[in-house]
Amino acid sequence: SQTIHQWPATLVQPVGSPLSLECTVEGTSNPNLYWYRQAAGRGLQLLFYSVGIGQISSEVPQNLSASRPQDRQFILSSKKLLLSDSGFYLCAWNGRNTEAFFGQGTRLTVV
Amino acid sequence: GDSVTQMEGPVTLSEEAFLTINCTYTATGYPSLFWYVQYPGEGLQLLLKATKADDKGSNKGFEATYRKETTSFHLEKGSVQVSDSAVYFCALTAGGTSYGKLTFGQGTILTVHP
């Protein structure tokens, strides 16, 4: 069966520090991969999605970037975190004509 | 662009009460509609879905009907349990290979007391 792993679960980082969140999917090949963010008091917003290795689409302009170095690995990064980057980050995947499956999420607090 | 408007929360109910969480949407074409649930400390799980008008999605006693004429997908359950306490998200997508590109509502926090 397919599983999705996302880590770390919680993270506290100072302003200006770098960020790297990792997501991996097991049990499937060539999944579509997604990064979502939920800011405090707001709904989930799609940040990036990828339909293949090295293919990244950005949905909103921001201080973050994404990369897909391997078929089932999706990384969310920042060179210098801002206070406004705080939030709950969720990785998700879907196969052809299937619904999306989500990871457990990462709670990021920038201080 | 597409949007989802969801009932403001939080919602607090007693066990065995009837639940309705309203959800309306704006979208071009014919979106697929979803309800996701997030239990405390966990990621999102798909609760139910409907892919065309008049479809009814159901799971774990929850139901929602895709109403194209009112652009709505309200979530209902006849008798809630304490274990239903969670955050509920209404969402839509264009479907097909875009099933992961979801537009979410704000989320509704549900708390059920014994």
Side-chain angles (χ1 to χ4, degrees):
Chain A
S1 63
Q2 301 91 354
T3 55
I4 179 169
H5 303 280
Q6 185 182 342
W7 67 94
T10 60
L11 192 59
V12 180
Q13 292 284 98
V15 169
S17 64
L19 172 74
S20 181
L21 302 181
E22 190 163 343
C23 171
T24 59
V25 180
E26 296 177 356
T28 188
S29 59
N30 196 31
N32 295 332
L33 297 171
Y34 309 84
W35 278 110
Y36 284 86
R37 176 173 63 195
Q38 183 178 27
R42 305 178 73 174
L44 284 153
Q45 182 180 40
L46 179 63
L47 302 177
F48 300 95
Y49 70 96
S50 172
V51 299
I53 296 173
Q55 300 179 58
I56 308 294
S57 296
S58 174
E59 290 291 298
V60 293
Q62 59 211 315
N63 183 44
L64 302 167
S65 62
S67 61
R68 185 170 177 173
Q70 300 180 44
D71 181 44
R72 290 168 290 178
Q73 184 184 29
F74 205 25
I75 298 172
L76 184 69
S77 304
S78 174
K79 293 182 179 178
K80 290 185 177 182
L81 283 169
L82 306 172
L83 286 174
S84 57
D85 292 324
S86 294
F88 188 59
Y89 290 82
L90 281 162
C91 181
W93 75 275
N94 79 286
R96 184 177 295 278
N97 294 323
T98 71
E99 68 269 18
F101 298 91
F102 286 81
Q104 298 284 70
T106 297
R107 176 75 59 190
L108 171 66
T109 303
V110 182
V111 296
Chain B
D2 297 348
S3 67
V4 176
T5 301
Q6 196 174 329
M7 177 176 171
E8 293 274 346
V11 175
T12 303
L13 296 173
S14 297
E15 205 164 27
E16 299 184 2
F18 183 85
L19 170 71
T20 299
I21 301 178
N22 290 336
C23 172
T24 57
Y25 67 90
T26 302
T28 54
Y30 302 94
S32 294
L33 303 175
F34 305 83
W35 277 100
Y36 279 85
V37 58
Q38 184 178 31
Y39 297 105
E42 300 184 15
L44 268 67
Q45 302 174 26
L46 179 65
L47 181 60
L48 53 84
K49 68 178 181 182
T51 57
K52 60 183 186 296
D54 299 325
D55 269 1
K56 177 185 284 188
S58 62
N59 185 27
K60 299 181 180 180
F62 291 90
E63 293 183 339
T65 301
Y66 189 143
R67 299 290 188 197
K68 187 171 184 295
E69 64 275 14
T70 55
T71 61
S72 65
F73 193 53
H74 304 321
L75 182 69
E76 297 182 336
K77 186 174 186 181
S79 177
V80 294
Q81 305 299 311
V82 172
S83 57
D84 293 326
S85 298
V87 183
Y88 292 82
F89 293 92
C90 185
L92 67 80
T93 183
T97 56
S98 300
Y99 266 140
K101 291 180 66 178
L102 293 153
T103 299
F104 282 93
Q106 299 283 75
T108 301
I109 300 172
L110 171 66
T111 303
V112 180
H113 292 297

